[in-house]
Amino acid sequence: MEPSELLSSFDQYDPAHVQVMHEVLAHARRECPVFHTTAEPGYWVVSRYADAKRILFDTAAFSNRNGVTVHGVGEPRPLPAAADPPLHKQYRDILRPYFTQQAIRAHEPELRKLAQQLMEPWLSTGEVEFVKDYAAKLAYAALFAVFLRSSGAEDIDLFVAGADRIVQESTQDAYAQLMGLVRQLLARRRSSGVEINDMIGAVELGSVDGRPLTEDEKVGMIFSAVAAGFETNYATMALIMHQVVRHPELETRIQGPDWASGHLAEFLRFVSPVTGLIRTVTRDTEIGGVALRAGDTVLVHYASVDRDEAQFPQADTLDFARPNSGQHMAFSFGVHRCLGAPFAEFLIGIGLEELTRRATGFRLRDPELDVPYTTGVVCRPEALPLTFELR
Ligand code: HEM
């Protein structure tokens, strides 16, 4: 099927569409930059950088009130993701102190140790399934260590399964399942009677509009950190590693203590792991020459806007000398720009630096293997069985 024929039914959750996503969206950017799809529940897709930027900075006309994934969120609502200004800032300010560069860097020794420990079981074998046995374990263990300290490692498998469903299905049932786990985590923390000065503690004591947070608001805020911070992080490591095994000369780009400050922005632009998130139109308006009505849904397609030639010439090429890689939208823009970005950049930096300090020459175990990708909000290699040599 030609890319143009897929537009009218283009579906973030359909594996056949995801496989040709970049061709379809390149066609859209050229011919019909804002297009309508009949994929459930019916929405507009915004493919160009300039249009996306306008939407993300206009929170009055483009609201987060219905959440950021196409099937809606139900109650409790993920916060601050599903809130609009001015309340949005009050929620975000409660979490913010735990997400600063300084707060994150204080965990460096612990995070490096985690990475080193996770490598021990397989390092000497020269083989690893990189996604499951390194990237995912590191992302989960780090998130629990930094933000959910009191909750206990026994939860990790349950949380992994719950968070995977959010990004791969985004159904209300998936939201309800993970919200339930967060409720249990809070209950256990309370019954332990331990007072810890961490993100959960801040949420417990938090207030907005001069009143304490409700139980649903607390659950929604902890949920956001969990749901937004698991798969995004390990998907990014997996997407970068997939580029490295396809183009071995890229390995030097993920080596050494400074690799992330030099090269991660361009990798993020190129792989843009969160494919697209929605906004709800609050009043009749126009974008890219298309009339939108109050109540319409628009999907801002980050993976598309990060390949927009008008913003990034030769956008389909990884170019580490590109002067504006840092303007990528992998973390979105505006008031909802990813709160976890400093943590993500730090962990991905450490994770690949520690690995490439001990190992080199990464290849797919079966060079003929066609690597399947997941679908949904985050598209990543399902698995990467690799071989490598010890340094
Ligand atoms: C490379 C990894 C990551 C990527 C690509 C990513 C991407 C994004 C994007 C695109 C948004 C914007 C949502 C919107 O447009 O409405 C976002 C928001 C958010 N992210 Fe991340 N994220 C990553 C890692 C993390 C991590 C590790 C955490 C937490 C530990 C996190 C927590 C959040 C939160 C709480 C929000 C909501 C912010 C708000 O609405 O004000 N993210 N992220």
Side-chain angles (χ1 to χ4, degrees):
M1 201 186 253
E2 288 299 308
S4 55
E5 294 172 55
L6 275 187
L7 285 181
S8 60
S9 62
F10 183 69
D11 187 348
Q12 238 187 337
Y13 299 89
D14 183 327
H17 294 199
V18 167
Q19 237 177 9
V20 290
M21 171 176 85
H22 282 297
E23 288 90 318
V24 172
L25 289 156
H27 173 83
R29 287 193 300 277
R30 281 192 307 270
E31 306 290 334
C32 42
V34 178
F35 63 92
H36 192 266
T37 172
T38 53
E40 275 294 309
Y43 51 92
W44 295 95
V45 180
V46 176
S47 65
R48 281 188 185 164
Y49 191 95
D51 293 335
K53 198 167 167 185
R54 223 192 91 198
I55 290 173
L56 297 171
F57 281 106
D58 187 353
T59 54
F62 297 96
S63 163
N64 276 40
R65 68 181 179 208
N66 292 336
V68 292
T69 48
V70 292
H71 300 123
V73 286
E75 296 290 338
R77 307 156 67 65
L79 296 170
D84 288 326
L87 200 52
H88 165 266
K89 182 173 182 309
Q90 295 185 47
Y91 292 123
R92 193 160 159 132
D93 281 350
I94 296 169
L95 299 175
R96 194 190 306 274
Y98 302 91
F99 286 86
T100 61
Q101 293 274 3
Q102 202 189 3
I104 300 304
R105 281 179 188 273
H107 295 278
E108 177 167 355
E110 187 182 5
L111 295 178
R112 283 196 186 277
K113 204 164 151 208
L114 265 177
Q116 289 155 7
Q117 283 170 347
L118 287 170
M119 277 183 253
E120 282 318 313
W122 44 261
L123 196 62
S124 60
T125 69
E127 292 191 8
V128 65
E129 199 291 85
F130 177 81
V131 179
K132 182 167 64 65
D133 289 332
Y134 188 58
K137 283 187 178 160
L138 180 60
Y140 296 136
L143 199 85
F144 270 73
V146 173
F147 300 106
L148 310 171
R149 304 193 75 79
S150 52
S151 50
E154 74 274 12
D155 287 329
I156 287 188
D157 287 345
L158 285 173
F159 272 88
V160 171
D164 280 355
R165 281 191 69 201
I166 298 286
V167 291
Q168 287 168 22
E169 298 171 21
S170 321
T171 54
Q172 296 210 8
D173 188 47
Y175 277 96
Q177 183 193 353
L178 190 56
M179 291 284 184
L181 289 172
V182 172
R183 273 188 209 286
Q184 287 169 21
L185 184 153
L186 262 176
R188 221 177 20 257
R189 161 82 169 241
R190 284 169 190 157
S191 66
S192 77
V194 184
E195 280 187 29
I196 303 175
N197 177 18
D198 66 356
M199 187 192 83
I200 300 182
V203 169
E204 286 282 47
L205 298 174
S207 60
V208 290
D209 284 348
R211 57 157 180 87
L213 293 172
T214 65
E215 184 67 7
D216 271 4
E217 285 171 325
K218 291 178 185 176
V219 171
M221 286 175 75
I222 296 167
F223 167 92
S224 269
V226 173
F230 270 165
E231 183 147 350
T232 46
N233 256 355
Y234 79 80
T236 307
M237 284 188 257
L239 286 159
I240 294 174
M241 190 48 102
H242 193 200
Q243 291 303 317
V244 170
V245 295
R246 285 159 94 182
H247 309 286
E249 72 280 6
L250 288 177
E251 193 184 312
T252 57
R253 303 284 179 179
I254 58 166
Q255 288 170 351
D258 298 326
W259 84 264
S261 55
H263 305 134
L264 182 54
E266 176 64 1
F267 273 121
L268 278 166
R269 180 198 69 79
F270 189 78
V271 302
S272 213
V274 175
T275 52
L277 295 172
I278 69 148
R279 295 291 186 265
T280 301
V281 180
T282 61
R283 55 173 184 243
D284 292 359
T285 183
E286 163 283 330
I287 200 87
V290 169
L292 301 176
R293 299 186 152 220
D296 280 357
T297 301
V298 292
L299 180 97
V300 180
H301 208 290
Y302 299 120
S304 173
V305 306
D306 276 341
R307 298 283 184 106
D308 186 343
E309 296 275 331
Q311 181 69 19
F312 303 108
Q314 314 251 310
D316 288 331
T317 307
L318 262 172
D319 173 3
F320 296 98
R322 194 182 289 285
N324 64 347
S325 304
Q327 292 168 8
H328 70 75
M329 270 199 217
F331 292 130
S332 187
F333 269 7
V335 296
H336 291 282
R337 184 179 189 273
C338 179
L339 187 60
F343 175 63
E345 290 175 333
F346 195 58
L347 185 70
I348 293 163
I350 283 182
L352 294 182
E353 181 201 333
E354 287 292 337
L355 178 63
T356 51
R357 207 162 53 80
R358 307 289 304 279
T360 184
F362 301 95
R363 300 286 183 275
L364 279 177
R365 194 163 53 211
D366 172 4
E368 303 301 313
L369 181 76
D370 187 22
V371 176
Y373 270 52
T374 59
T375 61
V377 174
V378 177
C379 294
R380 59 160 172 86
E382 279 175 18
L384 282 177
L386 304 183
T387 61
F388 55 84
E389 291 122 44
L390 280 184
R391 280 191 187 276

